[in-house]
Coordinates of all heavy atoms in Angstrom, one line a residue:
M1 N -6.8 5.8 -12.9 CA -5.6 5.3 -13.5 C -5.7 5.5 -15.0 O -6.8 5.2 -15.6 CB -5.4 3.8 -13.2 CG -4.2 3.2 -13.7 SD -4.0 1.5 -13.3 CE -3.3 1.6 -11.6
D2 N -4.7 6.0 -15.6 CA -4.7 6.3 -17.1 C -4.1 5.1 -17.8 O -3.5 4.2 -17.2 CB -3.8 7.5 -17.4 CG -4.4 8.8 -16.8 OD1 -5.6 8.9 -16.7 OD2 -3.6 9.7 -16.5
K3 N -4.2 5.1 -19.1 CA -3.7 4.0 -19.9 C -2.2 3.8 -19.8 O -1.7 2.7 -20.0 CB -4.1 4.2 -21.4 CG -5.5 4.2 -21.7 CD -6.1 2.8 -21.9 CE -7.6 2.9 -22.2 NZ -8.2 1.6 -22.3
K4 N -1.5 4.9 -19.5 CA 0.0 4.9 -19.5 C 0.5 4.3 -18.1 O 1.6 4.0 -18.0 CB 0.6 6.3 -19.7 CG 0.2 7.3 -18.7 CD 0.9 8.6 -18.8 CE 0.5 9.6 -17.8 NZ 0.0 9.2 -16.5
D5 N -0.4 4.3 -17.1 CA 0.0 3.9 -15.8 C 0.1 2.3 -15.7 O -0.6 1.6 -16.4 CB -1.0 4.3 -14.7 CG -1.1 5.8 -14.6 OD1 0.0 6.4 -14.6 OD2 -2.2 6.3 -14.4
N6 N 1.1 1.9 -15.0 CA 1.4 0.5 -14.9 C 0.4 -0.2 -13.9 O 0.3 0.2 -12.8 CB 2.8 0.2 -14.4 CG 3.8 0.5 -15.5 OD1 3.5 0.4 -16.7 ND2 5.0 0.9 -15.1
V7 N -0.3 -1.2 -14.4 CA -1.1 -2.1 -13.5 C -0.1 -3.1 -12.9 O -0.1 -3.2 -11.7 CB -2.2 -2.8 -14.4 CG1 -2.9 -3.8 -13.5 CG2 -3.1 -1.8 -15.0
C8 N 0.7 -3.8 -13.7 CA 1.7 -4.6 -13.1 C 3.0 -3.8 -13.0 O 3.7 -3.6 -14.0 CB 1.9 -5.9 -14.0 SG 3.2 -7.0 -13.2
V9 N 3.3 -3.4 -11.8 CA 4.4 -2.5 -11.5 C 5.7 -3.4 -11.7 O 6.7 -2.8 -12.2 CB 4.3 -1.9 -10.1 CG1 5.5 -1.0 -9.8 CG2 3.0 -1.2 -10.0
C10 N 5.7 -4.6 -11.2 CA 6.9 -5.4 -11.3 C 7.4 -5.5 -12.8 O 8.6 -5.5 -13.0 CB 6.6 -6.8 -10.8 SG 6.3 -6.9 -9.0
H11 N 6.5 -5.7 -13.7 CA 6.9 -6.0 -15.1 C 6.6 -4.8 -16.0 O 6.7 -4.9 -17.2 CB 6.3 -7.2 -15.6 CG 6.7 -8.5 -14.9 ND1 7.9 -9.0 -15.1 CD2 6.2 -9.2 -13.8 CE1 8.1 -10.1 -14.3 NE2 7.0 -10.2 -13.5
K12 N 6.3 -3.6 -15.4 CA 6.0 -2.4 -16.1 C 5.0 -2.6 -17.3 O 5.2 -2.3 -18.4 CB 7.3 -1.8 -16.7 CG 8.3 -1.4 -15.6 CD 9.5 -0.8 -16.2 CE 10.4 -0.2 -15.2 NZ 11.0 -1.1 -14.2
V13 N 3.8 -3.2 -16.9 CA 2.8 -3.5 -17.9 C 1.7 -2.5 -17.6 O 1.0 -2.5 -16.6 CB 2.3 -4.9 -17.8 CG1 1.3 -5.2 -19.0 CG2 3.4 -5.9 -17.8
S14 N 1.5 -1.6 -18.6 CA 0.5 -0.5 -18.4 C -0.9 -1.0 -18.7 O -1.1 -2.0 -19.4 CB 0.9 0.7 -19.3 OG 0.6 0.3 -20.7
L15 N -1.9 -0.2 -18.3 CA -3.3 -0.5 -18.5 C -3.5 -0.5 -20.0 O -4.2 -1.3 -20.6 CB -4.1 0.6 -17.8 CG -5.6 0.4 -17.9 CD1 -6.1 -0.9 -17.3 CD2 -6.3 1.6 -17.2
G16 N -2.8 0.4 -20.8 CA -3.0 0.5 -22.2 C -2.4 -0.8 -22.9 O -3.1 -1.3 -23.8
K17 N -1.3 -1.3 -22.4 CA -0.7 -2.5 -23.0 C -1.7 -3.7 -22.8 O -1.9 -4.5 -23.6 CB 0.6 -2.8 -22.4 CG 1.7 -2.0 -22.9 CD 3.1 -2.3 -22.3 CE 4.2 -1.4 -22.7 NZ 5.3 -1.5 -21.8
L18 N -2.2 -3.7 -21.6 CA -3.2 -4.8 -21.2 C -4.4 -4.7 -22.1 O -4.9 -5.7 -22.6 CB -3.5 -4.8 -19.7 CG -2.4 -5.3 -18.8 CD1 -2.6 -4.8 -17.4 CD2 -2.3 -6.8 -18.9
D19 N -4.9 -3.5 -22.3 CA -6.1 -3.3 -23.1 C -5.8 -3.8 -24.5 O -6.7 -4.5 -25.1 CB -6.5 -1.8 -23.1 CG -7.8 -1.5 -23.6 OD1 -8.6 -2.5 -23.9 OD2 -8.2 -0.3 -23.8
S20 N -4.7 -3.4 -25.1 CA -4.4 -3.8 -26.4 C -4.3 -5.3 -26.5 O -4.8 -6.0 -27.5 CB -3.0 -3.2 -26.9 OG -3.1 -1.9 -26.9
F21 N -3.6 -5.9 -25.5 CA -3.5 -7.4 -25.5 C -4.9 -8.1 -25.5 O -5.1 -9.0 -26.2 CB -2.7 -7.8 -24.3 CG -2.5 -9.3 -24.1 CD1 -1.5 -10.0 -24.8 CD2 -3.4 -10.0 -23.3 CE1 -1.4 -11.4 -24.6 CE2 -3.3 -11.4 -23.1 CZ -2.3 -12.1 -23.8
I22 N -5.7 -7.6 -24.6 CA -7.1 -8.1 -24.5 C -7.9 -8.0 -25.8 O -8.5 -9.0 -26.2 CB -7.8 -7.5 -23.3 CG1 -7.2 -8.0 -22.0 CG2 -9.3 -7.7 -23.3 CD1 -7.7 -7.2 -20.7
Q23 N -7.8 -6.9 -26.4 CA -8.5 -6.7 -27.7 C -8.0 -7.6 -28.8 O -8.7 -8.2 -29.6 CB -8.4 -5.2 -28.1 CG -8.9 -4.2 -27.2 CD -10.3 -4.5 -26.7 OE1 -11.2 -5.0 -27.4 NE2 -10.6 -4.2 -25.4
R24 N -6.7 -7.8 -28.7 CA -6.0 -8.6 -29.8 C -6.2 -10.1 -29.5 O -6.5 -10.9 -30.5 CB -4.5 -8.3 -29.8 CG -3.8 -8.8 -31.0 CD -2.3 -8.3 -31.0 NE -1.6 -8.8 -29.9 CZ -1.0 -8.0 -28.9 NH1 -1.1 -6.7 -29.0 NH2 -0.3 -8.6 -27.9
E25 N -6.0 -10.5 -28.3 CA -6.0 -12.0 -28.0 C -7.3 -12.5 -27.5 O -7.5 -13.7 -27.4 CB -4.9 -12.3 -27.0 CG -3.5 -11.8 -27.4 CD -2.9 -12.6 -28.6 OE1 -3.3 -13.8 -28.8 OE2 -2.1 -12.1 -29.4
N26 N -8.2 -11.7 -27.0 CA -9.5 -12.1 -26.5 C -9.3 -13.3 -25.5 O -9.8 -14.4 -25.7 CB -10.4 -12.5 -27.6 CG -11.8 -12.6 -27.2 OD1 -12.2 -12.0 -26.1 ND2 -12.6 -13.3 -27.9
P27 N -8.5 -13.1 -24.4 CA -8.3 -14.2 -23.5 C -9.6 -14.7 -22.8 O -10.4 -13.9 -22.4 CB -7.3 -13.5 -22.4 CG -7.6 -12.1 -22.5 CD -8.0 -11.8 -23.9
T28 N -9.7 -16.0 -22.7 CA -10.9 -16.6 -22.1 C -10.8 -16.6 -20.6 O -11.8 -16.7 -19.9 CB -11.2 -18.0 -22.7 OG1 -10.0 -18.7 -22.5 CG2 -11.5 -17.9 -24.1
V29 N -9.6 -16.7 -20.0 CA -9.4 -16.7 -18.6 C -8.4 -15.6 -18.2 O -7.5 -15.3 -18.9 CB -9.0 -18.1 -18.0 CG1 -10.1 -19.1 -18.2 CG2 -7.7 -18.6 -18.7
A30 N -8.6 -15.1 -17.0 CA -7.8 -14.0 -16.5 C -6.3 -14.3 -16.5 O -5.4 -13.5 -16.7 CB -8.2 -13.5 -15.2
S31 N -6.0 -15.6 -16.2 CA -4.6 -16.0 -16.0 C -3.8 -15.8 -17.4 O -2.6 -15.7 -17.4 CB -4.5 -17.4 -15.5 OG -5.1 -18.3 -16.4
Q32 N -4.5 -15.8 -18.5 CA -3.9 -15.6 -19.8 C -3.2 -14.2 -19.9 O -2.4 -14.0 -20.8 CB -4.9 -15.8 -20.9 CG -5.2 -17.3 -21.2 CD -6.2 -17.4 -22.3 OE1 -7.4 -17.3 -22.0 NE2 -5.8 -17.6 -23.5
L33 N -3.6 -13.3 -19.0 CA -3.0 -11.9 -19.1 C -1.5 -12.0 -18.7 O -0.8 -11.1 -19.0 CB -3.8 -11.0 -18.1 CG -5.2 -10.7 -18.5 CD1 -5.8 -9.6 -17.6 CD2 -5.3 -10.2 -19.9
S34 N -1.1 -13.1 -18.1 CA 0.3 -13.2 -17.8 C 1.1 -13.3 -19.1 O 2.3 -13.1 -19.1 CB 0.6 -14.5 -16.9 OG 0.2 -15.6 -17.6
Q35 N 0.5 -13.7 -20.2 CA 1.2 -13.7 -21.5 C 1.5 -12.3 -22.0 O 2.2 -12.2 -23.0 CB 0.3 -14.5 -22.5 CG 0.2 -16.0 -22.1 CD -0.9 -16.7 -23.0 OE1 -1.3 -16.2 -24.0 NE2 -1.3 -17.8 -22.5
C36 N 0.9 -11.3 -21.4 CA 1.2 -10.0 -21.7 C 2.4 -9.5 -20.9 O 2.2 -9.0 -19.8 CB 0.0 -9.1 -21.5 SG 0.2 -7.4 -22.0
L37 N 3.6 -9.7 -21.4 CA 4.8 -9.2 -20.7 C 5.0 -9.7 -19.3 O 5.5 -9.0 -18.4 CB 4.9 -7.7 -20.8 CG 4.8 -7.1 -22.2 CD1 4.6 -5.6 -22.1 CD2 6.0 -7.5 -23.0
D38 N 4.4 -10.9 -19.0 CA 4.5 -11.5 -17.7 C 3.7 -10.8 -16.6 O 4.1 -11.0 -15.4 CB 6.0 -11.7 -17.2 CG 6.8 -12.7 -18.0 OD1 6.1 -13.6 -18.6 OD2 8.0 -12.5 -18.1
A39 N 2.7 -10.1 -16.9 CA 1.9 -9.4 -15.9 C 1.4 -10.3 -14.9 O 0.9 -11.4 -15.2 CB 0.7 -8.7 -16.6
G40 N 1.6 -9.9 -13.6 CA 1.1 -10.7 -12.5 C 1.9 -11.9 -12.1 O 1.5 -12.7 -11.2
T41 N 3.1 -12.0 -12.6 CA 3.9 -13.2 -12.3 C 5.0 -13.0 -11.2 O 5.8 -13.9 -11.0 CB 4.5 -13.8 -13.5 OG1 5.4 -12.8 -14.1 CG2 3.5 -14.2 -14.6
S42 N 5.0 -11.8 -10.6 CA 6.0 -11.7 -9.5 C 5.4 -11.5 -8.1 O 5.1 -12.5 -7.5 CB 7.0 -10.5 -9.9 OG 7.8 -10.9 -11.0
C43 N 5.2 -10.3 -7.7 CA 4.7 -10.1 -6.3 C 3.3 -10.5 -6.1 O 2.8 -10.8 -5.0 CB 4.9 -8.6 -5.9 SG 3.8 -7.5 -6.5
G44 N 2.5 -10.4 -7.2 CA 1.1 -10.8 -7.1 C 0.1 -9.7 -6.7 O -1.1 -9.9 -6.8
W45 N 0.6 -8.5 -6.4 CA -0.2 -7.4 -6.1 C -1.3 -7.1 -7.1 O -2.5 -6.8 -6.8 CB 0.6 -6.2 -5.9 CG -0.1 -4.9 -6.0 CD1 -0.1 -4.0 -7.0 CD2 -1.0 -4.4 -5.0 NE1 -0.9 -2.9 -6.7 CE2 -1.6 -3.1 -5.5 CE3 -1.5 -4.8 -3.8 CZ2 -2.5 -2.4 -4.8 CZ3 -2.4 -4.0 -3.1 CH2 -2.9 -2.8 -3.6
C46 N -0.9 -7.2 -8.4 CA -1.8 -6.7 -9.5 C -2.8 -7.8 -9.8 O -3.8 -7.5 -10.6 CB -1.0 -6.3 -10.7 SG 0.0 -7.7 -11.3
I47 N -2.7 -9.0 -9.3 CA -3.6 -10.1 -9.8 C -5.1 -9.7 -9.7 O -5.9 -9.9 -10.6 CB -3.2 -11.4 -9.1 CG1 -1.9 -11.9 -9.7 CG2 -4.3 -12.5 -9.4 CD1 -1.3 -13.1 -9.0
P48 N -5.6 -9.2 -8.5 CA -7.0 -8.8 -8.4 C -7.4 -7.8 -9.4 O -8.5 -7.8 -9.9 CB -7.1 -8.3 -7.0 CG -5.9 -8.8 -6.2 CD -4.8 -9.0 -7.3
F49 N -6.5 -6.9 -9.8 CA -6.8 -5.9 -10.8 C -6.8 -6.5 -12.2 O -7.6 -6.0 -13.0 CB -5.8 -4.7 -10.6 CG -5.8 -4.1 -9.3 CD1 -4.9 -4.5 -8.3 CD2 -6.7 -3.1 -9.0 CE1 -4.9 -4.0 -7.0 CE2 -6.7 -2.5 -7.7 CZ -5.9 -3.0 -6.7
L50 N -5.9 -7.4 -12.4 CA -5.9 -8.1 -13.7 C -7.3 -8.9 -13.9 O -7.9 -8.9 -15.0 CB -4.7 -9.1 -13.8 CG -3.4 -8.4 -13.8 CD1 -2.3 -9.5 -13.8 CD2 -3.2 -7.5 -15.1
K51 N -7.7 -9.5 -12.8 CA -9.0 -10.2 -12.8 C -10.1 -9.3 -13.1 O -11.0 -9.6 -13.8 CB -9.2 -11.0 -11.5 CG -8.3 -12.2 -11.4 CD -8.6 -12.9 -10.1 CE -7.7 -14.2 -10.0 NZ -7.8 -14.8 -8.6
K52 N -10.0 -8.1 -12.5 CA -11.1 -7.1 -12.7 C -11.2 -6.6 -14.1 O -12.3 -6.6 -14.7 CB -10.8 -5.9 -11.7 CG -11.9 -4.9 -11.7 CD -11.7 -3.8 -10.7 CE -12.8 -2.8 -10.8 NZ -12.7 -1.7 -9.8
I53 N -10.1 -6.3 -14.7 CA -10.1 -5.8 -16.1 C -10.5 -6.9 -17.1 O -11.2 -6.7 -18.1 CB -8.8 -5.1 -16.6 CG1 -7.6 -6.0 -16.5 CG2 -8.6 -3.8 -15.7 CD1 -6.4 -5.3 -17.1
H54 N -10.1 -8.2 -16.7 CA -10.6 -9.3 -17.6 C -12.1 -9.5 -17.5 O -12.7 -9.7 -18.5 CB -9.8 -10.6 -17.2 CG -10.2 -11.7 -18.0 ND1 -11.1 -12.7 -17.7 CD2 -9.9 -12.0 -19.3 CE1 -11.2 -13.6 -18.7 NE2 -10.5 -13.2 -19.7
K55 N -12.6 -9.3 -16.3 CA -14.1 -9.4 -16.1 C -14.8 -8.3 -16.9 O -15.8 -8.6 -17.5 CB -14.4 -9.3 -14.6 CG -15.8 -9.6 -14.3 CD -16.0 -9.7 -12.7 CE -17.4 -10.0 -12.4 NZ -18.2 -8.9 -11.9
Q56 N -14.2 -7.1 -16.9 CA -14.8 -6.0 -17.6 C -14.9 -6.4 -19.1 O -15.9 -6.1 -19.8 CB -14.0 -4.7 -17.5 CG -14.1 -4.1 -16.1 CD -13.1 -3.0 -15.9 OE1 -12.1 -2.9 -16.6 NE2 -13.3 -2.2 -14.9
H57 N -13.8 -7.0 -19.6 CA -13.7 -7.4 -21.0 C -14.8 -8.5 -21.3 O -15.6 -8.3 -22.3 CB -12.4 -8.0 -21.3 CG -12.3 -8.7 -22.6 ND1 -12.4 -8.0 -23.8 CD2 -12.1 -10.0 -23.0 CE1 -12.3 -8.8 -24.8 NE2 -12.1 -10.0 -24.3
L58 N -14.9 -9.5 -20.4 CA -15.9 -10.5 -20.6 C -17.4 -10.0 -20.7 O -18.2 -10.4 -21.4 CB -15.8 -11.6 -19.6 CG -14.6 -12.5 -19.6 CD1 -14.7 -13.6 -18.5 CD2 -14.4 -13.2 -21.0
E59 N -17.6 -8.9 -19.9 CA -18.9 -8.3 -19.8 C -19.1 -7.3 -20.9 O -20.2 -6.7 -21.0 CB -19.1 -7.6 -18.4 CG -19.1 -8.7 -17.3 CD -19.1 -8.1 -15.9 OE1 -18.8 -6.9 -15.8 OE2 -19.3 -8.8 -14.9
G60 N -18.1 -7.1 -21.7 CA -18.2 -6.2 -22.9 C -18.1 -4.7 -22.5 O -18.5 -3.8 -23.3
N61 N -17.5 -4.5 -21.3 CA -17.3 -3.1 -20.9 C -15.9 -2.6 -21.2 O -15.0 -3.4 -21.4 CB -17.5 -3.0 -19.4 CG -19.0 -3.3 -19.0 OD1 -19.9 -2.9 -19.7 ND2 -19.2 -4.1 -17.9
P62 N -15.7 -1.3 -21.3 CA -14.4 -0.8 -21.5 C -13.5 -1.1 -20.4 O -13.9 -1.2 -19.2 CB -14.6 0.8 -21.6 CG -16.0 1.0 -21.4 CD -16.7 -0.3 -21.1
I63 N -12.2 -1.3 -20.7 CA -11.2 -1.6 -19.7 C -10.8 -0.3 -18.9 O -10.4 0.6 -19.5 CB -9.9 -2.2 -20.3 CG1 -10.2 -3.4 -21.2 CG2 -8.8 -2.5 -19.3 CD1 -10.9 -4.6 -20.4
Q64 N -11.0 -0.4 -17.6 CA -10.6 0.8 -16.8 C -10.5 0.4 -15.4 O -11.1 -0.6 -14.9 CB -11.7 1.9 -16.9 CG -13.0 1.5 -16.5 CD -14.1 2.5 -16.7 OE1 -13.8 3.6 -17.2 NE2 -15.3 2.3 -16.2
L65 N -9.6 1.1 -14.7 CA -9.5 0.9 -13.2 C -9.7 2.3 -12.6 O -8.9 3.2 -12.8 CB -8.1 0.4 -12.9 CG -7.8 -1.1 -13.2 CD1 -6.4 -1.4 -12.9 CD2 -8.8 -2.0 -12.5
G66 N -10.7 2.4 -11.8 CA -11.1 3.6 -11.1 C -10.3 3.8 -9.9 O -10.9 4.1 -8.8
V67 N -9.0 3.7 -9.9 CA -8.2 3.9 -8.7 C -7.2 5.0 -9.0 O -6.7 5.1 -10.2 CB -7.4 2.6 -8.3 CG1 -8.4 1.6 -7.8 CG2 -6.6 2.0 -9.4
D68 N -6.8 5.8 -8.0 CA -5.8 6.8 -8.2 C -4.5 6.1 -8.3 O -4.1 5.3 -7.5 CB -5.9 7.7 -6.9 CG -4.9 8.8 -7.0 OD1 -5.2 9.8 -7.5 OD2 -3.7 8.6 -6.4
S69 N -3.7 6.5 -9.3 CA -2.4 5.8 -9.6 C -1.4 6.0 -8.4 O -0.7 5.0 -8.1 CB -1.8 6.2 -10.9 OG -1.7 7.6 -11.0
E70 N -1.4 7.1 -7.8 CA -0.5 7.4 -6.6 C -0.9 6.4 -5.5 O 0.0 5.8 -4.9 CB -0.6 8.8 -6.1 CG -0.3 9.9 -7.2 CD 1.1 10.3 -7.1 OE1 1.7 10.4 -6.0 OE2 1.7 10.4 -8.2
K71 N -2.2 6.4 -5.2 CA -2.6 5.5 -4.1 C -2.3 4.0 -4.4 O -2.0 3.2 -3.6 CB -4.1 5.7 -3.8 CG -4.4 7.0 -3.1 CD -5.8 7.0 -2.6 CE -6.1 8.3 -1.9 NZ -7.3 8.9 -2.4
Y72 N -2.5 3.7 -5.7 CA -2.2 2.3 -6.2 C -0.8 1.9 -5.8 O -0.5 0.8 -5.3 CB -2.5 2.2 -7.7 CG -2.4 0.9 -8.3 CD1 -3.5 0.0 -8.2 CD2 -1.2 0.5 -8.9 CE1 -3.4 -1.3 -8.8 CE2 -1.1 -0.8 -9.5 CZ -2.2 -1.7 -9.5 OH -2.1 -2.9 -10.0
L73 N 0.1 2.8 -6.2 CA 1.5 2.6 -5.9 C 1.9 2.5 -4.4 O 2.7 1.6 -4.0 CB 2.4 3.6 -6.6 CG 2.4 3.6 -8.1 CD1 3.2 4.8 -8.7 CD2 3.0 2.3 -8.7
E74 N 1.2 3.4 -3.7 CA 1.5 3.4 -2.2 C 1.0 2.1 -1.6 O 1.7 1.5 -0.7 CB 0.7 4.6 -1.5 CG 1.4 5.9 -1.7 CD 0.6 7.1 -1.2 OE1 -0.4 6.8 -0.4 OE2 0.8 8.2 -1.7
R75 N -0.2 1.7 -2.0 CA -0.8 0.4 -1.4 C 0.1 -0.8 -1.8 O 0.2 -1.7 -1.1 CB -2.2 0.3 -1.9 CG -3.2 1.2 -1.2 CD -4.6 1.2 -1.8 NE -5.2 -0.1 -1.9 CZ -6.1 -0.4 -2.7 NH1 -6.6 0.5 -3.6 NH2 -6.6 -1.6 -2.8
R76 N 0.6 -0.8 -3.0 CA 1.5 -1.9 -3.5 C 2.7 -1.9 -2.6 O 3.2 -3.0 -2.3 CB 1.8 -1.7 -4.9 CG 2.8 -2.9 -5.3 CD 3.2 -2.8 -6.8 NE 4.3 -3.7 -7.1 CZ 5.6 -3.4 -6.9 NH1 6.0 -2.3 -6.5 NH2 6.5 -4.4 -7.1
K77 N 3.3 -0.7 -2.3 CA 4.5 -0.7 -1.5 C 4.3 -1.4 -0.2 O 5.1 -2.2 0.3 CB 4.9 0.8 -1.2 CG 6.1 1.2 -2.1 CD 6.5 2.6 -1.6 CE 7.1 3.3 -2.8 NZ 7.3 4.7 -2.5
V78 N 3.1 -1.1 0.5 CA 2.8 -1.7 1.7 C 2.6 -3.2 1.6 O 3.1 -4.0 2.4 CB 1.5 -1.0 2.3 CG1 1.0 -1.8 3.5 CG2 1.7 0.4 2.6
Y79 N 2.0 -3.6 0.5 CA 1.7 -5.0 0.2 C 3.1 -5.8 0.1 O 3.3 -6.8 0.7 CB 0.9 -5.1 -1.1 CG 0.8 -6.5 -1.6 CD1 -0.2 -7.4 -1.2 CD2 1.7 -7.0 -2.6 CE1 -0.3 -8.7 -1.7 CE2 1.5 -8.3 -3.1 CZ 0.5 -9.1 -2.6 OH 0.4 -10.4 -3.1
V80 N 4.0 -5.2 -0.6 CA 5.3 -5.8 -0.9 C 6.1 -5.9 0.4 O 6.8 -6.9 0.7 CB 6.1 -5.1 -2.0 CG1 7.5 -5.6 -2.1 CG2 5.3 -5.2 -3.3
K81 N 6.0 -4.9 1.2 CA 6.7 -4.9 2.5 C 6.2 -6.0 3.5 O 7.0 -6.6 4.2 CB 6.5 -3.5 3.2 CG 7.7 -2.6 3.0 CD 7.5 -1.3 3.9 CE 8.3 -0.2 3.3 NZ 7.9 1.1 3.8
K82 N 4.9 -6.2 3.4 CA 4.3 -7.2 4.3 C 4.7 -8.6 3.9 O 4.5 -9.5 4.7 CB 2.8 -7.0 4.3 CG 2.3 -5.9 5.2 CD 0.8 -5.9 5.3 CE 0.3 -4.7 6.1 NZ -1.2 -4.5 5.9
K83 N 5.0 -8.8 2.7 CA 5.3 -10.2 2.2 C 6.6 -10.8 2.8 O 7.5 -10.1 3.1 CB 5.4 -10.2 0.6 CG 4.0 -10.2 0.0 CD 4.2 -10.4 -1.5 CE 4.1 -11.8 -1.8 NZ 4.2 -12.2 -3.2
Ligands
FES1 S1 2.8 -5.7 -9.6 FE1 2.3 -7.3 -10.9 S2 3.4 -9.0 -10.1 FE2 4.0 -7.4 -8.9

């Protein structure tokens, strides 16, 4: 997944936007990422991924998601249908 790809598809919040937010705000808990354009506040699909990037931040690692963006979107579609 690239910086331009949306992690939160519902609110169109890209990995790059989340990275900037994290660097700027230094959130102490993952739920604070919702303050970045409401990421994670609708279908809930992205929440595990938001937690993952927050953990990377706490551990001092670069923010990245090693998932294929096409597959990410396909899996989200299935998730949303099942809800
Ligand atoms: S993809 Fe983030 S709340 Fe739906």
